[in-house]
Amino acid sequence: MFINESKREIIVSKAEYTKAMKVGTPEFEDLFRAKQICPNAKVIIKKSNNKNNYKNLTKKFMLNYVNANDKNYIETFEQLFNSIGETIYDEANDEYKEVSFFYVRNEFLKRYPQFMTPSDRKKFEEANKPALTTVSTEEFTEEITDEVA
């Protein structure tokens, strides 16, 4: 929540505004205090910059794409969609997770990063960049000698 006194605005996110409409919540109290500080201010709901980044990644689109481009993975992907609402064990992170549409979507994006937004793709590539390994000159020379012999 942000008060812009010069423009007489109280700027809130949509989530804050939704919570503030319930009497007794901390957001309600915050908005109430903000209105006491600036009684003539209008409440403005700020728009999210990230909204609709993946609005076209529907269940139908993802299933059709996997079916058309990766037949080996379609059964696994259908099982993921069918398990929405269930709890599964995520071996990679060693934890239990509830399968949601967003979990399935993120699995789709990991497998097909070309559908990621540029900023998400950059983060994904940084996180999955292979680690460089160093080899001593002696080890390298030994490997070459072994291959030649």
Side-chain angles (χ1 to χ4, degrees), residues 66-103:
V66 173
N67 192 37
N69 296 290
D70 198 354
K71 296 240 186 239
N72 297 333
Y73 190 63
I74 188 66
E75 190 175 310
T76 305
F77 206 72
E78 285 174 339
Q79 286 176 348
L80 265 178
F81 267 115
N82 292 333
S83 65
I84 289 177
E86 296 176 8
T87 303
I88 62 166
Y89 180 69
D90 183 1
E91 292 177 17
N93 296 319
D94 191 32
E95 64 184 3
Y96 288 93
K97 290 186 175 182
E98 183 173 334
V99 178
S100 66
F101 174 80
F102 301 106
Y103 177 83

PDB file of all heavy atoms in Angstrom, residues 66-103:
ATOM      1  N   VAL A  66       2.092 -31.085 -26.664  1.00  0.00           N
ATOM      2  CA  VAL A  66       2.867 -32.272 -26.295  1.00  0.00           C
ATOM      3  C   VAL A  66       2.488 -33.437 -27.210  1.00  0.00           C
ATOM      4  O   VAL A  66       3.359 -34.166 -27.689  1.00  0.00           O
ATOM      5  CB  VAL A  66       2.649 -32.636 -24.809  1.00  0.00           C
ATOM      6  CG1 VAL A  66       3.315 -33.957 -24.472  1.00  0.00           C
ATOM      7  CG2 VAL A  66       3.191 -31.532 -23.912  1.00  0.00           C
ATOM      8  N   ASN A  67       1.212 -33.591 -27.482  1.00  0.00           N
ATOM      9  CA  ASN A  67       0.751 -34.676 -28.350  1.00  0.00           C
ATOM     10  C   ASN A  67       1.331 -34.543 -29.758  1.00  0.00           C
ATOM     11  O   ASN A  67       1.717 -35.530 -30.372  1.00  0.00           O
ATOM     12  CB  ASN A  67      -0.775 -34.704 -28.395  1.00  0.00           C
ATOM     13  CG  ASN A  67      -1.302 -35.965 -29.039  1.00  0.00           C
ATOM     14  OD1 ASN A  67      -0.753 -37.039 -28.854  1.00  0.00           O
ATOM     15  ND2 ASN A  67      -2.371 -35.821 -29.795  1.00  0.00           N
ATOM     16  N   ALA A  68       1.422 -33.325 -30.257  1.00  0.00           N
ATOM     17  CA  ALA A  68       1.915 -33.106 -31.612  1.00  0.00           C
ATOM     18  C   ALA A  68       3.441 -33.157 -31.700  1.00  0.00           C
ATOM     19  O   ALA A  68       3.985 -33.521 -32.747  1.00  0.00           O
ATOM     20  CB  ALA A  68       1.425 -31.756 -32.126  1.00  0.00           C
ATOM     21  N   ASN A  69       4.132 -32.814 -30.629  1.00  0.00           N
ATOM     22  CA  ASN A  69       5.583 -32.652 -30.718  1.00  0.00           C
ATOM     23  C   ASN A  69       6.414 -33.614 -29.878  1.00  0.00           C
ATOM     24  O   ASN A  69       7.632 -33.688 -30.068  1.00  0.00           O
ATOM     25  CB  ASN A  69       5.960 -31.214 -30.321  1.00  0.00           C
ATOM     26  CG  ASN A  69       5.387 -30.215 -31.281  1.00  0.00           C
ATOM     27  OD1 ASN A  69       5.817 -30.125 -32.408  1.00  0.00           O
ATOM     28  ND2 ASN A  69       4.380 -29.475 -30.831  1.00  0.00           N
ATOM     29  N   ASP A  70       5.800 -34.305 -28.939  1.00  0.00           N
ATOM     30  CA  ASP A  70       6.579 -35.143 -28.032  1.00  0.00           C
ATOM     31  C   ASP A  70       5.718 -36.321 -27.563  1.00  0.00           C
ATOM     32  O   ASP A  70       5.350 -36.408 -26.401  1.00  0.00           O
ATOM     33  CB  ASP A  70       7.044 -34.297 -26.840  1.00  0.00           C
ATOM     34  CG  ASP A  70       8.186 -34.926 -26.073  1.00  0.00           C
ATOM     35  OD1 ASP A  70       8.556 -36.068 -26.385  1.00  0.00           O
ATOM     36  OD2 ASP A  70       8.705 -34.265 -25.152  1.00  0.00           O
ATOM     37  N   LYS A  71       5.417 -37.214 -28.486  1.00  0.00           N
ATOM     38  CA  LYS A  71       4.499 -38.331 -28.193  1.00  0.00           C
ATOM     39  C   LYS A  71       4.966 -39.188 -27.022  1.00  0.00           C
ATOM     40  O   LYS A  71       4.153 -39.774 -26.317  1.00  0.00           O
ATOM     41  CB  LYS A  71       4.329 -39.206 -29.433  1.00  0.00           C
ATOM     42  CG  LYS A  71       3.680 -38.492 -30.584  1.00  0.00           C
ATOM     43  CD  LYS A  71       2.421 -39.160 -30.965  1.00  0.00           C
ATOM     44  CE  LYS A  71       1.866 -38.523 -32.222  1.00  0.00           C
ATOM     45  NZ  LYS A  71       0.573 -37.992 -32.062  1.00  0.00           N
ATOM     46  N   ASN A  72       6.269 -39.256 -26.781  1.00  0.00           N
ATOM     47  CA  ASN A  72       6.794 -40.069 -25.683  1.00  0.00           C
ATOM     48  C   ASN A  72       6.420 -39.496 -24.316  1.00  0.00           C
ATOM     49  O   ASN A  72       6.430 -40.216 -23.325  1.00  0.00           O
ATOM     50  CB  ASN A  72       8.320 -40.190 -25.771  1.00  0.00           C
ATOM     51  CG  ASN A  72       8.756 -40.892 -27.032  1.00  0.00           C
ATOM     52  OD1 ASN A  72       8.029 -41.707 -27.586  1.00  0.00           O
ATOM     53  ND2 ASN A  72       9.941 -40.566 -27.512  1.00  0.00           N
ATOM     54  N   TYR A  73       6.118 -38.221 -24.267  1.00  0.00           N
ATOM     55  CA  TYR A  73       5.861 -37.551 -22.992  1.00  0.00           C
ATOM     56  C   TYR A  73       4.375 -37.329 -22.718  1.00  0.00           C
ATOM     57  O   TYR A  73       4.003 -36.980 -21.620  1.00  0.00           O
ATOM     58  CB  TYR A  73       6.614 -36.212 -22.993  1.00  0.00           C
ATOM     59  CG  TYR A  73       6.651 -35.515 -21.659  1.00  0.00           C
ATOM     60  CD1 TYR A  73       7.272 -36.092 -20.562  1.00  0.00           C
ATOM     61  CD2 TYR A  73       6.060 -34.277 -21.493  1.00  0.00           C
ATOM     62  CE1 TYR A  73       7.303 -35.456 -19.341  1.00  0.00           C
ATOM     63  CE2 TYR A  73       6.086 -33.633 -20.271  1.00  0.00           C
ATOM     64  CZ  TYR A  73       6.711 -34.225 -19.200  1.00  0.00           C
ATOM     65  OH  TYR A  73       6.728 -33.592 -17.988  1.00  0.00           O
ATOM     66  N   ILE A  74       3.502 -37.567 -23.702  1.00  0.00           N
ATOM     67  CA  ILE A  74       2.081 -37.227 -23.564  1.00  0.00           C
ATOM     68  C   ILE A  74       1.427 -38.000 -22.418  1.00  0.00           C
ATOM     69  O   ILE A  74       0.639 -37.431 -21.660  1.00  0.00           O
ATOM     70  CB  ILE A  74       1.296 -37.427 -24.885  1.00  0.00           C
ATOM     71  CG1 ILE A  74      -0.134 -36.879 -24.746  1.00  0.00           C
ATOM     72  CG2 ILE A  74       1.270 -38.858 -25.330  1.00  0.00           C
ATOM     73  CD1 ILE A  74      -0.219 -35.399 -24.570  1.00  0.00           C
ATOM     74  N   GLU A  75       1.759 -39.266 -22.240  1.00  0.00           N
ATOM     75  CA  GLU A  75       1.140 -40.054 -21.173  1.00  0.00           C
ATOM     76  C   GLU A  75       1.511 -39.500 -19.791  1.00  0.00           C
ATOM     77  O   GLU A  75       0.658 -39.355 -18.919  1.00  0.00           O
ATOM     78  CB  GLU A  75       1.571 -41.521 -21.285  1.00  0.00           C
ATOM     79  CG  GLU A  75       0.795 -42.441 -20.369  1.00  0.00           C
ATOM     80  CD  GLU A  75       1.158 -43.891 -20.604  1.00  0.00           C
ATOM     81  OE1 GLU A  75       1.147 -44.336 -21.765  1.00  0.00           O
ATOM     82  OE2 GLU A  75       1.442 -44.572 -19.597  1.00  0.00           O
ATOM     83  N   THR A  76       2.775 -39.164 -19.615  1.00  0.00           N
ATOM     84  CA  THR A  76       3.232 -38.587 -18.355  1.00  0.00           C
ATOM     85  C   THR A  76       2.533 -37.267 -18.095  1.00  0.00           C
ATOM     86  O   THR A  76       2.104 -36.972 -16.977  1.00  0.00           O
ATOM     87  CB  THR A  76       4.762 -38.357 -18.400  1.00  0.00           C
ATOM     88  OG1 THR A  76       5.388 -39.584 -18.723  1.00  0.00           O
ATOM     89  CG2 THR A  76       5.283 -37.825 -17.087  1.00  0.00           C
ATOM     90  N   PHE A  77       2.413 -36.475 -19.139  1.00  0.00           N
ATOM     91  CA  PHE A  77       1.801 -35.163 -18.992  1.00  0.00           C
ATOM     92  C   PHE A  77       0.314 -35.282 -18.668  1.00  0.00           C
ATOM     93  O   PHE A  77      -0.207 -34.531 -17.836  1.00  0.00           O
ATOM     94  CB  PHE A  77       2.016 -34.362 -20.276  1.00  0.00           C
ATOM     95  CG  PHE A  77       1.997 -32.891 -20.056  1.00  0.00           C
ATOM     96  CD1 PHE A  77       3.048 -32.265 -19.406  1.00  0.00           C
ATOM     97  CD2 PHE A  77       0.935 -32.128 -20.462  1.00  0.00           C
ATOM     98  CE1 PHE A  77       3.036 -30.903 -19.191  1.00  0.00           C
ATOM     99  CE2 PHE A  77       0.906 -30.770 -20.251  1.00  0.00           C
ATOM    100  CZ  PHE A  77       1.950 -30.162 -19.612  1.00  0.00           C
ATOM    101  N   GLU A  78      -0.380 -36.212 -19.295  1.00  0.00           N
ATOM    102  CA  GLU A  78      -1.798 -36.437 -18.987  1.00  0.00           C
ATOM    103  C   GLU A  78      -1.958 -36.896 -17.539  1.00  0.00           C
ATOM    104  O   GLU A  78      -2.897 -36.487 -16.857  1.00  0.00           O
ATOM    105  CB  GLU A  78      -2.404 -37.455 -19.948  1.00  0.00           C
ATOM    106  CG  GLU A  78      -2.650 -36.895 -21.324  1.00  0.00           C
ATOM    107  CD  GLU A  78      -3.125 -37.937 -22.330  1.00  0.00           C
ATOM    108  OE1 GLU A  78      -2.901 -39.154 -22.100  1.00  0.00           O
ATOM    109  OE2 GLU A  78      -3.711 -37.527 -23.346  1.00  0.00           O
ATOM    110  N   GLN A  79      -1.040 -37.738 -17.059  1.00  0.00           N
ATOM    111  CA  GLN A  79      -1.088 -38.183 -15.661  1.00  0.00           C
ATOM    112  C   GLN A  79      -0.913 -36.997 -14.716  1.00  0.00           C
ATOM    113  O   GLN A  79      -1.561 -36.932 -13.676  1.00  0.00           O
ATOM    114  CB  GLN A  79      -0.009 -39.235 -15.396  1.00  0.00           C
ATOM    115  CG  GLN A  79      -0.317 -40.579 -15.982  1.00  0.00           C
ATOM    116  CD  GLN A  79       0.826 -41.562 -15.777  1.00  0.00           C
ATOM    117  OE1 GLN A  79       1.922 -41.188 -15.389  1.00  0.00           O
ATOM    118  NE2 GLN A  79       0.557 -42.826 -16.073  1.00  0.00           N
ATOM    119  N   LEU A  80      -0.031 -36.067 -15.087  1.00  0.00           N
ATOM    120  CA  LEU A  80       0.154 -34.864 -14.260  1.00  0.00           C
ATOM    121  C   LEU A  80      -1.158 -34.093 -14.162  1.00  0.00           C
ATOM    122  O   LEU A  80      -1.558 -33.671 -13.082  1.00  0.00           O
ATOM    123  CB  LEU A  80       1.243 -33.964 -14.855  1.00  0.00           C
ATOM    124  CG  LEU A  80       2.645 -34.118 -14.322  1.00  0.00           C
ATOM    125  CD1 LEU A  80       3.597 -33.197 -15.063  1.00  0.00           C
ATOM    126  CD2 LEU A  80       2.718 -33.850 -12.844  1.00  0.00           C
ATOM    127  N   PHE A  81      -1.808 -33.882 -15.300  1.00  0.00           N
ATOM    128  CA  PHE A  81      -3.082 -33.152 -15.278  1.00  0.00           C
ATOM    129  C   PHE A  81      -4.135 -33.891 -14.471  1.00  0.00           C
ATOM    130  O   PHE A  81      -4.911 -33.275 -13.752  1.00  0.00           O
ATOM    131  CB  PHE A  81      -3.593 -32.886 -16.697  1.00  0.00           C
ATOM    132  CG  PHE A  81      -3.163 -31.560 -17.258  1.00  0.00           C
ATOM    133  CD1 PHE A  81      -2.319 -31.497 -18.345  1.00  0.00           C
ATOM    134  CD2 PHE A  81      -3.582 -30.372 -16.684  1.00  0.00           C
ATOM    135  CE1 PHE A  81      -1.915 -30.276 -18.860  1.00  0.00           C
ATOM    136  CE2 PHE A  81      -3.189 -29.153 -17.181  1.00  0.00           C
ATOM    137  CZ  PHE A  81      -2.347 -29.103 -18.271  1.00  0.00           C
ATOM    138  N   ASN A  82      -4.163 -35.205 -14.574  1.00  0.00           N
ATOM    139  CA  ASN A  82      -5.145 -35.992 -13.835  1.00  0.00           C
ATOM    140  C   ASN A  82      -4.870 -36.026 -12.339  1.00  0.00           C
ATOM    141  O   ASN A  82      -5.756 -36.333 -11.551  1.00  0.00           O
ATOM    142  CB  ASN A  82      -5.223 -37.412 -14.391  1.00  0.00           C
ATOM    143  CG  ASN A  82      -5.816 -37.443 -15.784  1.00  0.00           C
ATOM    144  OD1 ASN A  82      -6.595 -36.566 -16.152  1.00  0.00           O
ATOM    145  ND2 ASN A  82      -5.436 -38.431 -16.565  1.00  0.00           N
ATOM    146  N   SER A  83      -3.643 -35.705 -11.943  1.00  0.00           N
ATOM    147  CA  SER A  83      -3.298 -35.745 -10.525  1.00  0.00           C
ATOM    148  C   SER A  83      -3.422 -34.380  -9.848  1.00  0.00           C
ATOM    149  O   SER A  83      -3.021 -34.228  -8.700  1.00  0.00           O
ATOM    150  CB  SER A  83      -1.884 -36.294 -10.345  1.00  0.00           C
ATOM    151  OG  SER A  83      -0.927 -35.431 -10.923  1.00  0.00           O
ATOM    152  N   ILE A  84      -3.990 -33.394 -10.537  1.00  0.00           N
ATOM    153  CA  ILE A  84      -4.181 -32.076  -9.916  1.00  0.00           C
ATOM    154  C   ILE A  84      -5.040 -32.241  -8.667  1.00  0.00           C
ATOM    155  O   ILE A  84      -6.080 -32.884  -8.689  1.00  0.00           O
ATOM    156  CB  ILE A  84      -4.812 -31.075 -10.910  1.00  0.00           C
ATOM    157  CG1 ILE A  84      -3.787 -30.702 -11.976  1.00  0.00           C
ATOM    158  CG2 ILE A  84      -5.323 -29.830 -10.199  1.00  0.00           C
ATOM    159  CD1 ILE A  84      -4.305 -29.779 -13.068  1.00  0.00           C
ATOM    160  N   GLY A  85      -4.566 -31.676  -7.562  1.00  0.00           N
ATOM    161  CA  GLY A  85      -5.255 -31.779  -6.284  1.00  0.00           C
ATOM    162  C   GLY A  85      -4.677 -32.859  -5.384  1.00  0.00           C
ATOM    163  O   GLY A  85      -4.962 -32.897  -4.196  1.00  0.00           O
ATOM    164  N   GLU A  86      -3.855 -33.739  -5.947  1.00  0.00           N
ATOM    165  CA  GLU A  86      -3.236 -34.797  -5.163  1.00  0.00           C
ATOM    166  C   GLU A  86      -1.849 -34.352  -4.688  1.00  0.00           C
ATOM    167  O   GLU A  86      -1.281 -33.399  -5.203  1.00  0.00           O
ATOM    168  CB  GLU A  86      -3.105 -36.075  -6.001  1.00  0.00           C
ATOM    169  CG  GLU A  86      -4.440 -36.655  -6.419  1.00  0.00           C
ATOM    170  CD  GLU A  86      -4.288 -37.872  -7.321  1.00  0.00           C
ATOM    171  OE1 GLU A  86      -3.152 -38.360  -7.499  1.00  0.00           O
ATOM    172  OE2 GLU A  86      -5.303 -38.314  -7.851  1.00  0.00           O
ATOM    173  N   THR A  87      -1.312 -35.064  -3.726  1.00  0.00           N
ATOM    174  CA  THR A  87       0.026 -34.783  -3.221  1.00  0.00           C
ATOM    175  C   THR A  87       0.993 -35.793  -3.811  1.00  0.00           C
ATOM    176  O   THR A  87       0.710 -36.990  -3.819  1.00  0.00           O
ATOM    177  CB  THR A  87       0.058 -34.872  -1.682  1.00  0.00           C
ATOM    178  OG1 THR A  87      -0.915 -33.956  -1.153  1.00  0.00           O
ATOM    179  CG2 THR A  87       1.416 -34.515  -1.135  1.00  0.00           C
ATOM    180  N   ILE A  88       2.114 -35.283  -4.330  1.00  0.00           N
ATOM    181  CA  ILE A  88       3.129 -36.165  -4.908  1.00  0.00           C
ATOM    182  C   ILE A  88       4.478 -35.871  -4.265  1.00  0.00           C
ATOM    183  O   ILE A  88       4.679 -34.809  -3.676  1.00  0.00           O
ATOM    184  CB  ILE A  88       3.243 -36.000  -6.444  1.00  0.00           C
ATOM    185  CG1 ILE A  88       3.677 -34.577  -6.810  1.00  0.00           C
ATOM    186  CG2 ILE A  88       1.967 -36.390  -7.133  1.00  0.00           C
ATOM    187  CD1 ILE A  88       4.121 -34.431  -8.245  1.00  0.00           C
ATOM    188  N   TYR A  89       5.389 -36.813  -4.390  1.00  0.00           N
ATOM    189  CA  TYR A  89       6.742 -36.634  -3.866  1.00  0.00           C
ATOM    190  C   TYR A  89       7.623 -36.110  -4.989  1.00  0.00           C
ATOM    191  O   TYR A  89       7.746 -36.733  -6.043  1.00  0.00           O
ATOM    192  CB  TYR A  89       7.293 -37.957  -3.327  1.00  0.00           C
ATOM    193  CG  TYR A  89       8.687 -37.828  -2.775  1.00  0.00           C
ATOM    194  CD1 TYR A  89       8.922 -37.117  -1.606  1.00  0.00           C
ATOM    195  CD2 TYR A  89       9.768 -38.398  -3.426  1.00  0.00           C
ATOM    196  CE1 TYR A  89      10.196 -36.989  -1.094  1.00  0.00           C
ATOM    197  CE2 TYR A  89      11.043 -38.277  -2.921  1.00  0.00           C
ATOM    198  CZ  TYR A  89      11.258 -37.568  -1.761  1.00  0.00           C
ATOM    199  OH  TYR A  89      12.522 -37.432  -1.255  1.00  0.00           O
ATOM    200  N   ASP A  90       8.234 -34.958  -4.779  1.00  0.00           N
ATOM    201  CA  ASP A  90       9.138 -34.346  -5.745  1.00  0.00           C
ATOM    202  C   ASP A  90      10.557 -34.765  -5.377  1.00  0.00           C
ATOM    203  O   ASP A  90      11.137 -34.256  -4.423  1.00  0.00           O
ATOM    204  CB  ASP A  90       8.972 -32.820  -5.705  1.00  0.00           C
ATOM    205  CG  ASP A  90       9.828 -32.113  -6.735  1.00  0.00           C
ATOM    206  OD1 ASP A  90      10.544 -32.798  -7.493  1.00  0.00           O
ATOM    207  OD2 ASP A  90       9.770 -30.876  -6.783  1.00  0.00           O
ATOM    208  N   GLU A  91      11.091 -35.727  -6.125  1.00  0.00           N
ATOM    209  CA  GLU A  91      12.410 -36.267  -5.812  1.00  0.00           C
ATOM    210  C   GLU A  91      13.509 -35.222  -5.957  1.00  0.00           C
ATOM    211  O   GLU A  91      14.468 -35.221  -5.188  1.00  0.00           O
ATOM    212  CB  GLU A  91      12.717 -37.461  -6.720  1.00  0.00           C
ATOM    213  CG  GLU A  91      11.839 -38.657  -6.448  1.00  0.00           C
ATOM    214  CD  GLU A  91      12.108 -39.799  -7.403  1.00  0.00           C
ATOM    215  OE1 GLU A  91      13.158 -39.807  -8.063  1.00  0.00           O
ATOM    216  OE2 GLU A  91      11.252 -40.691  -7.477  1.00  0.00           O
ATOM    217  N   ALA A  92      13.393 -34.346  -6.945  1.00  0.00           N
ATOM    218  CA  ALA A  92      14.425 -33.344  -7.190  1.00  0.00           C
ATOM    219  C   ALA A  92      14.623 -32.427  -5.981  1.00  0.00           C
ATOM    220  O   ALA A  92      15.744 -32.057  -5.646  1.00  0.00           O
ATOM    221  CB  ALA A  92      14.076 -32.521  -8.424  1.00  0.00           C
ATOM    222  N   ASN A  93      13.517 -32.053  -5.331  1.00  0.00           N
ATOM    223  CA  ASN A  93      13.592 -31.149  -4.178  1.00  0.00           C
ATOM    224  C   ASN A  93      13.435 -31.868  -2.842  1.00  0.00           C
ATOM    225  O   ASN A  93      13.431 -31.223  -1.792  1.00  0.00           O
ATOM    226  CB  ASN A  93      12.534 -30.048  -4.302  1.00  0.00           C
ATOM    227  CG  ASN A  93      12.775 -29.175  -5.503  1.00  0.00           C
ATOM    228  OD1 ASN A  93      13.908 -28.830  -5.804  1.00  0.00           O
ATOM    229  ND2 ASN A  93      11.705 -28.820  -6.202  1.00  0.00           N
ATOM    230  N   ASP A  94      13.258 -33.209  -2.875  1.00  0.00           N
ATOM    231  CA  ASP A  94      13.100 -34.026  -1.680  1.00  0.00           C
ATOM    232  C   ASP A  94      11.985 -33.488  -0.777  1.00  0.00           C
ATOM    233  O   ASP A  94      12.192 -33.231   0.409  1.00  0.00           O
ATOM    234  CB  ASP A  94      14.430 -34.108  -0.916  1.00  0.00           C
ATOM    235  CG  ASP A  94      14.387 -35.165   0.175  1.00  0.00           C
ATOM    236  OD1 ASP A  94      13.685 -36.173  -0.012  1.00  0.00           O
ATOM    237  OD2 ASP A  94      15.031 -34.959   1.223  1.00  0.00           O
ATOM    238  N   GLU A  95      10.787 -33.284  -1.390  1.00  0.00           N
ATOM    239  CA  GLU A  95       9.650 -32.791  -0.619  1.00  0.00           C
ATOM    240  C   GLU A  95       8.345 -33.227  -1.272  1.00  0.00           C
ATOM    241  O   GLU A  95       8.315 -33.595  -2.436  1.00  0.00           O
ATOM    242  CB  GLU A  95       9.693 -31.260  -0.508  1.00  0.00           C
ATOM    243  CG  GLU A  95       9.560 -30.543  -1.841  1.00  0.00           C
ATOM    244  CD  GLU A  95       9.710 -29.036  -1.733  1.00  0.00           C
ATOM    245  OE1 GLU A  95       9.980 -28.538  -0.640  1.00  0.00           O
ATOM    246  OE2 GLU A  95       9.547 -28.374  -2.754  1.00  0.00           O
ATOM    247  N   TYR A  96       7.281 -33.169  -0.490  1.00  0.00           N
ATOM    248  CA  TYR A  96       5.952 -33.454  -1.008  1.00  0.00           C
ATOM    249  C   TYR A  96       5.316 -32.167  -1.485  1.00  0.00           C
ATOM    250  O   TYR A  96       5.447 -31.124  -0.850  1.00  0.00           O
ATOM    251  CB  TYR A  96       5.079 -34.109   0.075  1.00  0.00           C
ATOM    252  CG  TYR A  96       5.487 -35.526   0.367  1.00  0.00           C
ATOM    253  CD1 TYR A  96       6.378 -35.809   1.390  1.00  0.00           C
ATOM    254  CD2 TYR A  96       4.996 -36.572  -0.403  1.00  0.00           C
ATOM    255  CE1 TYR A  96       6.764 -37.115   1.656  1.00  0.00           C
ATOM    256  CE2 TYR A  96       5.372 -37.877  -0.148  1.00  0.00           C
ATOM    257  CZ  TYR A  96       6.262 -38.144   0.880  1.00  0.00           C
ATOM    258  OH  TYR A  96       6.648 -39.433   1.120  1.00  0.00           O
ATOM    259  N   LYS A  97       4.640 -32.238  -2.627  1.00  0.00           N
ATOM    260  CA  LYS A  97       3.985 -31.053  -3.191  1.00  0.00           C
ATOM    261  C   LYS A  97       2.576 -31.426  -3.619  1.00  0.00           C
ATOM    262  O   LYS A  97       2.329 -32.541  -4.071  1.00  0.00           O
ATOM    263  CB  LYS A  97       4.736 -30.547  -4.432  1.00  0.00           C
ATOM    264  CG  LYS A  97       6.062 -29.948  -4.152  1.00  0.00           C
ATOM    265  CD  LYS A  97       6.650 -29.359  -5.415  1.00  0.00           C
ATOM    266  CE  LYS A  97       7.946 -28.654  -5.108  1.00  0.00           C
ATOM    267  NZ  LYS A  97       8.526 -28.040  -6.289  1.00  0.00           N
ATOM    268  N   GLU A  98       1.681 -30.454  -3.480  1.00  0.00           N
ATOM    269  CA  GLU A  98       0.340 -30.653  -4.013  1.00  0.00           C
ATOM    270  C   GLU A  98       0.370 -30.241  -5.471  1.00  0.00           C
ATOM    271  O   GLU A  98       0.875 -29.176  -5.819  1.00  0.00           O
ATOM    272  CB  GLU A  98      -0.689 -29.818  -3.260  1.00  0.00           C
ATOM    273  CG  GLU A  98      -2.089 -30.089  -3.766  1.00  0.00           C
ATOM    274  CD  GLU A  98      -3.167 -29.420  -2.943  1.00  0.00           C
ATOM    275  OE1 GLU A  98      -2.943 -29.168  -1.756  1.00  0.00           O
ATOM    276  OE2 GLU A  98      -4.230 -29.155  -3.515  1.00  0.00           O
ATOM    277  N   VAL A  99      -0.140 -31.105  -6.327  1.00  0.00           N
ATOM    278  CA  VAL A  99      -0.142 -30.820  -7.753  1.00  0.00           C
ATOM    279  C   VAL A  99      -1.255 -29.821  -8.041  1.00  0.00           C
ATOM    280  O   VAL A  99      -2.406 -30.036  -7.699  1.00  0.00           O
ATOM    281  CB  VAL A  99      -0.361 -32.107  -8.583  1.00  0.00           C
ATOM    282  CG1 VAL A  99      -0.399 -31.788 -10.067  1.00  0.00           C
ATOM    283  CG2 VAL A  99       0.734 -33.111  -8.288  1.00  0.00           C
ATOM    284  N   SER A 100      -0.881 -28.707  -8.639  1.00  0.00           N
ATOM    285  CA  SER A 100      -1.838 -27.690  -9.056  1.00  0.00           C
ATOM    286  C   SER A 100      -1.637 -27.442 -10.547  1.00  0.00           C
ATOM    287  O   SER A 100      -0.671 -27.924 -11.144  1.00  0.00           O
ATOM    288  CB  SER A 100      -1.607 -26.393  -8.284  1.00  0.00           C
ATOM    289  OG  SER A 100      -0.348 -25.836  -8.635  1.00  0.00           O
ATOM    290  N   PHE A 101      -2.531 -26.682 -11.135  1.00  0.00           N
ATOM    291  CA  PHE A 101      -2.358 -26.335 -12.546  1.00  0.00           C
ATOM    292  C   PHE A 101      -1.028 -25.622 -12.740  1.00  0.00           C
ATOM    293  O   PHE A 101      -0.335 -25.844 -13.728  1.00  0.00           O
ATOM    294  CB  PHE A 101      -3.512 -25.440 -13.032  1.00  0.00           C
ATOM    295  CG  PHE A 101      -3.292 -24.944 -14.435  1.00  0.00           C
ATOM    296  CD1 PHE A 101      -3.567 -25.768 -15.519  1.00  0.00           C
ATOM    297  CD2 PHE A 101      -2.787 -23.687 -14.668  1.00  0.00           C
ATOM    298  CE1 PHE A 101      -3.343 -25.332 -16.814  1.00  0.00           C
ATOM    299  CE2 PHE A 101      -2.571 -23.239 -15.959  1.00  0.00           C
ATOM    300  CZ  PHE A 101      -2.852 -24.065 -17.034  1.00  0.00           C
ATOM    301  N   PHE A 102      -0.640 -24.777 -11.781  1.00  0.00           N
ATOM    302  CA  PHE A 102       0.599 -24.015 -11.918  1.00  0.00           C
ATOM    303  C   PHE A 102       1.818 -24.926 -11.848  1.00  0.00           C
ATOM    304  O   PHE A 102       2.815 -24.700 -12.522  1.00  0.00           O
ATOM    305  CB  PHE A 102       0.656 -22.906 -10.869  1.00  0.00           C
ATOM    306  CG  PHE A 102      -0.509 -21.970 -10.999  1.00  0.00           C
ATOM    307  CD1 PHE A 102      -1.541 -22.010 -10.089  1.00  0.00           C
ATOM    308  CD2 PHE A 102      -0.590 -21.089 -12.062  1.00  0.00           C
ATOM    309  CE1 PHE A 102      -2.635 -21.170 -10.225  1.00  0.00           C
ATOM    310  CE2 PHE A 102      -1.678 -20.258 -12.215  1.00  0.00           C
ATOM    311  CZ  PHE A 102      -2.700 -20.288 -11.296  1.00  0.00           C
ATOM    312  N   TYR A 103       1.731 -25.978 -11.038  1.00  0.00           N
ATOM    313  CA  TYR A 103       2.814 -26.962 -10.992  1.00  0.00           C
ATOM    314  C   TYR A 103       2.962 -27.628 -12.357  1.00  0.00           C
ATOM    315  O   TYR A 103       4.073 -27.764 -12.882  1.00  0.00           O
ATOM    316  CB  TYR A 103       2.538 -28.001  -9.902  1.00  0.00           C
ATOM    317  CG  TYR A 103       3.576 -29.091  -9.828  1.00  0.00           C
ATOM    318  CD1 TYR A 103       4.755 -28.900  -9.123  1.00  0.00           C
ATOM    319  CD2 TYR A 103       3.380 -30.314 -10.469  1.00  0.00           C
ATOM    320  CE1 TYR A 103       5.720 -29.897  -9.051  1.00  0.00           C
ATOM    321  CE2 TYR A 103       4.326 -31.313 -10.409  1.00  0.00           C
ATOM    322  CZ  TYR A 103       5.491 -31.099  -9.705  1.00  0.00           C
ATOM    323  OH  TYR A 103       6.447 -32.090  -9.650  1.00  0.00           O
TER     324      TYR A 103
END
